[in-house]
Amino acid sequence: MSPDIIDETTEIWFGPQHVSAHGWAAKLTLVGDYVVECEPHAGYFHRSAEKVMEFRNFRQGSLIMERLCMLEAFLAEYPYVTAVEQIAGLEVPERAKIMRTIMMEASRIHSLQFWWGQFSAELGFFAMLIWPWVDREWFLNAFEELSGSRHAVSYNTPGGVRYDFTEKSISVLELAIERMESNMSKFEDMLMGSPVFRMRTEGIAQYTAEQGIKWGLSGPNIKACGIPMDLRKDSPDPNLAYDLVDWDVPIIESKEHPGESDAFDRMVQRFKEVETSVDIIRQLLKQLPEGDIIDPKARSKANRLPEGEAYGRVEGTRGISTVWLKTTEKAQTPYRVKIRGPCFNSYYSLKHLVPGVRFADFIVVFGSLDPYPGWWDR
Amino acid sequence: MSSIDLISITALVRKVQSDLPEIEAKMLNESHVEFVTPKEKIRDIVTLLTESVQMLFPESVIGIDLEEDKYEVIYMFWSHLNNFLCQVRVSLDGPDPSIETVSDIISGLEWHERETHEMYGIKFEGNPDLSLLLLPEELEGKYPLRKRFKTDRSRLAESGLPQPKPRPPKGGATE
């Protein structure tokens, strides 16, 4: 860089019209083509979900929750559902617990497949945009076979689930997993084996686990630093079936930079997540008992809740999402719902991660955290 | 990573009670503790928590409007290493509630505070940026998550949206 460029700063808006900025915008200050300051802006998707939920009853609330992140709909609606269950004192039947867990893991795989495509496209690998999305269609078929809907599945409901498995829906799900597994190694080769891909991602947006946790990052973004921080293992939810399964939290222990993760590590981490999810689904499908899929008293008990406060949490695809719920005596609607989306903090952390990277790498930093605007705008 | 120091939830409660006796501790269940904190002690308790619990994860800041100018703020933290949740609850009152920021102690809460400010009008003194995060400019200072903010048609004129046409009289319009 010539000295006269170093003195001058340029401000550039990345988004909201940019193709990769689907519903967000960041103001970048550049010196040459190095970003020295990043100011993420939120609010383009804001639909005041928290206020809207104060006027919807406890069964309707979960339908709003899943619309915050359609890619992980089964997971997104769960924290609200479990918070209602805690206050109402509902007991989820064993079959429903296992079915929930299976579908939540299927949702995780589907969401990660979407991310592979999106992240690769953001880096210019357009072949990889379409291939994982073709396999993703099979998961959408499985969701459709189960619930009649491809995205807004409305599956979890206070007290259990809405739709029972059929032989066909299980076979479509198994088919989707088989197809994905047969193509997985191809995708791994295409991404990890590509020298260009490695050059674009290695050493980009590197942070330590301590930094990441301080900024509020969670999920694969922290597990890629070698910290097995995973709610599925740490505090197994009594209304889910993770304790019935023999599995380990997937983590990456990097030899070059132990305790830290860069964009490449986080991509590898997301491949590992898929393997774990497949393993969990396979084990649970074998253990599926017969029985009810919903607490028979669910409808009456979730109609009016006693006074209380509850905190529902789930380990989503992108990290920890939680719902804090307060109800008043015999109320039909919540008094206060606070949603914590995992991407709220991922997006915030761009402020710390971006300064110092080159302008072309900005989207790599953003994409490697797997943020979804619905989660921070709500 | 340097050495890991673990602390159990009961040891944490004992430490808080000996260092900050004004703070009341309540066990919500075996892995979830609540510290009811006076407003002035918020920075002390958050500093104590971050110092005594390694890798404390900032989960959320929850604002609650209890009506009649009473507010509550709950700071939610989670420790993966020790596997417990701890929440710090602060009561605020008055027409312009305010509390000191903790975003310089644990930066992940910066935006949570900013959001709570725009939604409830709770001022976090010392937060570097309390401008609007999610809301459009028209709603600045309206604090939409307060209970007194009505969402029915009574506020339509304020929003600048076109007024709905009045319904035609029964039996069709007559000129």
Side-chain angles (χ1 to χ4, degrees):
Chain A
M1 265 191 289
S2 66
D4 57 318
I5 297 180
I6 295 173
D7 294 338
E8 267 178 44
T9 57
T10 318
E11 275 185 5
I12 287 187
W13 275 88
F14 193 100
Q17 280 90 3
H18 192 281
V19 220
S20 292
H22 25 82
W24 53 278
K27 192 165 94 182
L28 306 174
T29 310
L30 308 179
V31 172
D33 78 335
Y34 284 87
V35 186
V36 291
E37 206 186 318
C38 170
E39 197 187 307
H41 282 242
Y44 293 89
F45 268 175
H46 181 59
R47 291 161 291 180
S48 66
E50 288 171 5
K51 187 83 175 177
V52 172
M53 282 163 85
E54 285 175 16
F55 299 94
R56 298 284 183 275
N57 71 32
F58 296 104
R59 287 190 306 277
Q60 291 168 331
S62 67
L63 308 188
I64 297 169
M65 282 297 291
E66 70 178 359
R67 278 158 179 78
L68 302 179
C69 188
M70 299 291 264
L71 298 177
E72 45 174 348
F74 293 91
L75 288 153
E77 64 193 0
Y78 184 71
Y80 183 78
V81 168
T82 189
V84 173
E85 278 163 2
Q86 282 171 33
I87 296 183
L90 289 167
E91 278 183 26
V92 183
E94 201 64 20
R95 183 175 169 86
K97 285 182 193 176
I98 293 184
M99 283 162 63
R100 269 179 179 183
T101 318
I102 291 173
M103 291 322 291
M104 278 161 68
E105 291 305 313
S107 179
R108 191 185 307 273
I109 299 174
H110 154 256
S111 178
L112 288 163
Q113 281 179 321
F114 184 91
W115 178 81
W116 293 339
Q118 183 195 321
F119 186 53
S120 315
E122 281 167 354
L123 266 70
F125 286 69
F126 281 93
M128 264 299 284
L129 168 70
I130 299 303
W131 286 7
W133 286 16
V134 173
D135 290 357
R136 182 180 154 247
E137 285 296 307
W138 287 84
F139 278 95
L140 292 178
N141 289 347
F143 300 164
E144 190 180 4
E145 187 56 48
L146 180 67
S147 72
S149 182
R150 289 164 77 79
H151 280 108
V153 286
S154 323
Y155 190 62
N156 294 315
T157 184
V161 295
R162 277 180 223 261
Y163 311 103
D164 203 349
F165 278 165
T166 58
E167 261 176 45
K168 193 175 175 199
S169 66
I170 293 179
S171 68
V172 179
L173 181 64
E174 279 173 339
L175 186 68
I177 294 173
E178 270 167 37
R179 276 197 59 112
M180 185 212 56
E181 278 198 318
S182 65
N183 287 333
M184 267 270 281
S185 59
K186 220 188 297 178
F187 299 154
E188 283 184 37
D189 282 351
M190 275 185 80
L191 293 181
M192 294 178 211
S194 157
V196 180
F197 198 89
R198 292 190 85 114
M199 277 164 70
R200 292 286 316 266
T201 51
E202 275 174 345
I204 298 292
Q206 199 166 322
Y207 54 79
T208 63
E210 283 85 356
Q211 280 176 318
I213 288 179
K214 206 168 184 184
W215 297 329
L217 295 179
S218 50
N221 299 328
I222 289 300
K223 283 183 256 180
C225 301
I227 306 288
M229 180 169 124
D230 195 319
L231 283 187
R232 294 177 287 177
K233 200 76 164 180
D234 292 337
S235 53
D237 196 312
N239 292 339
L240 293 178
Y242 289 112
D243 46 349
L244 301 178
V245 191
D246 176 30
W247 66 288
D248 288 319
V249 178
I251 54 166
I252 287 185
E253 286 174 82
S254 168
K255 287 199 182 77
E256 294 98 49
H257 39 78
E260 299 188 18
S261 77
D262 59 11
F264 186 75
D265 292 336
R266 293 194 282 280
M267 189 199 65
V268 179
Q269 173 67 33
R270 292 196 167 88
F271 274 97
K272 282 193 166 186
E273 294 276 326
V274 170
E275 286 162 19
T276 312
S277 294
V278 171
D279 187 30
I280 293 176
I281 293 178
R282 291 240 161 93
Q283 289 189 39
L284 284 175
L285 277 174
K286 284 183 202 140
Q287 304 182 24
L288 198 63
E290 292 296 317
D292 283 343
I293 58 163
I294 189 162
D295 186 332
K297 287 183 183 151
R299 219 175 161 77
S300 57
K301 273 190 173 175
N303 218 13
R304 283 182 190 277
L305 257 56
E307 189 179 351
E309 289 175 8
Y311 195 48
R313 310 156 83 209
V314 74
E315 178 76 28
T317 318
R318 294 162 174 77
I320 296 172
S321 39
T322 70
V323 163
W324 190 86
L325 179 68
K326 181 182 169 72
T327 53
T328 47
E329 187 62 37
K330 286 193 176 170
Q332 281 181 305
T333 54
Y335 187 81
R336 165 77 168 125
V337 185
K338 162 76 191 186
I339 304 160
R340 182 219 196 251
C343 305
F344 190 75
N345 281 73
S346 317
Y347 191 49
Y348 159 77
S349 68
L350 286 184
K351 203 171 139 178
H352 301 281
L353 277 170
V354 170
V357 303
R358 298 184 75 159
F359 184 50
D361 292 333
F362 169 69
I363 195 67
V364 184
V365 181
F366 176 82
S368 74
L369 298 172
D370 193 4
Y372 189 80
W375 267 134
W376 66 73
D377 281 347
R378 286 160 284 147
Chain B
M1 201 177 63
S2 51
S3 65
I4 296 173
D5 298 317
L6 298 180
I7 179 165
S8 72
I9 192 163
T10 44
L12 181 73
V13 171
R14 272 202 302 275
K15 190 164 182 181
V16 169
Q17 280 173 339
S18 70
D19 288 12
L20 300 163
E22 308 83 343
I23 290 170
E24 191 192 331
K26 269 189 218 164
M27 294 295 283
L28 300 178
N29 61 41
E30 68 279 2
S31 60
H32 190 167
V33 66
E34 177 180 89
F35 297 113
V36 183
T37 308
K39 178 183 150 182
E40 301 76 31
K41 291 283 168 196
I42 182 66
R43 284 180 69 83
D44 298 336
I45 175 87
V46 175
T47 313
L48 182 76
L49 290 177
T50 46
E51 277 168 6
S52 38
V53 185
Q54 230 181 14
M55 292 216 260
L56 193 66
F57 178 71
E59 266 197 12
S60 199
V61 173
I62 301 151
I64 310 147
D65 177 10
L66 297 172
E67 299 186 273
E68 294 161 0
D69 280 343
K70 284 193 178 64
Y71 301 89
E72 267 182 0
V73 182
I74 300 177
Y75 300 76
M76 194 70 79
F77 300 97
W78 185 54
S79 166
H80 150 71
L81 294 173
N82 311 295
N83 208 351
F84 60 72
L85 269 171
C86 62
Q87 66 184 48
V88 177
R89 187 188 289 255
V90 188
S91 297
L92 304 172
D93 46 19
D96 299 307
S98 75
I99 187 168
E100 280 178 278
T101 181
V102 294
S103 63
D104 51 337
I105 304 169
I106 186 152
S107 62
L109 294 180
E110 190 185 322
W111 271 23
H112 289 278
E113 290 188 346
R114 193 171 156 190
E115 190 199 332
T116 312
H117 170 253
E118 69 179 347
M119 296 295 182
Y120 285 96
I122 297 169
K123 189 159 189 271
F124 290 87
E125 286 158 24
N127 188 304
D129 184 7
L130 283 180
S131 59
L132 292 178
L133 179 68
L134 302 177
L135 294 179
E137 284 154 17
E138 302 91 271
L139 287 176
E140 179 152 22
K142 303 274 170 67
Y143 310 130
L145 277 182
R146 284 187 178 179
K147 289 284 172 188
R148 70 175 80 121
F149 184 95
K150 296 288 178 233
T151 48
D152 55 7
R153 289 227 166 135
S154 64
R155 299 181 63 99
L156 197 66
E158 243 175 80
S159 70
L161 294 169
Q163 296 286 330
K165 283 179 193 157
R167 283 193 176 185
K170 270 187 184 170
T174 47
E175 287 280 329

